[in-house]
């Protein structure tokens, strides 16, 4: 399957936003005196998992929107959602279970794609690029 350009572009947007927010998070850890190299590793783990989750979502949407059986498309989306949530739960579990990792630094980046999407929407609205319906 050839990955569509839109999937790559949106994943790049999410990766950029997640990286920026992860840097801010690490700066906060530094300011409050809790930064360690393992906090950075934990943040990187969370950020990579978050971007990978978004990329897999894009691939699933691309696959599910192919013309064909609507019931099959719905099943593809539901299965993908379940597997991606399981993956995120495993990452979060690792953040809790592995003593060297900092669970907050693992968990926060998992939320950063949502924050990035929110700010992208605001930026488009204020830049006048909002689609007219």
């Amino acid at each position: 399957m050839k990955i569509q350009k839109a999937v790559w572009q949106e994943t790049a947007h999410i990766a950029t936003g997640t990286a920026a927010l992860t840097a801010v998070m690490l700066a906060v850890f530094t300011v409050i005196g809790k930064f360690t190299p393992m906090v950075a590793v934990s943040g990187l783990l969370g950020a990579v998992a978050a971007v990978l989750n978004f990329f897999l979502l894009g691939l699933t949407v691309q696959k599910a929107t192919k013309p064909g059986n609507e019931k099959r498309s719905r099943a593809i989306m539901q299965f993908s959602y379940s597997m991606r949530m399981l993956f995120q739960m495993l990452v979060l579990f690792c953040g809790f279970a592995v003593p060297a990792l900092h669970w907050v630094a693992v968990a926060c980046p998992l939320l950063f794609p949502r924050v990035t999407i929110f700010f992208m929407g605001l930026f488009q609205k204020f830049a006048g690029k909002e689609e007219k319906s």
Side-chain angles (χ1 to χ4, degrees), residues 44-68:
L44 182 62
L45 172 65
V48 168
V51 173
L52 179 60
N53 178 57
F54 186 85
F55 178 70
L56 293 173
L57 170 64
L59 288 180
T60 302
V61 170
Q62 177 181 323
K63 184 176 182 180
T65 56
K66 286 184 180 178

Side-chain angles (χ1 to χ4, degrees), residues 63-109:
K63 184 176 182 180
T65 56
K66 286 184 180 178
N69 187 345
E70 182 181 330
K71 196 173 188 178
R72 181 178 178 275
S73 294
R74 189 178 315 263
I76 289 170
M77 290 299 294
Q78 288 175 341
F79 180 74
S80 169
Y81 176 79
S82 297
M83 292 297 104
R84 289 182 299 103
M85 290 303 107
L86 179 62
F87 170 68
Q88 286 192 320
M89 297 274 261
L90 287 172
V91 170
L92 195 55
F93 177 77
C94 287
F96 280 106
V98 177
L101 296 176
H102 194 289
W103 72 270
V104 173
V106 171
C108 286

Side-chain angles (χ1 to χ4, degrees), residues 10-24 51 109 112-113 115-117 120:
E10 293 306 315
T11 301
H13 289 145
I14 295 303
T16 302
T18 300
L21 290 168
T22 301
V24 170
V51 173
F112 292 163
V115 175
T116 301
I117 291 166
M120 285 171 52

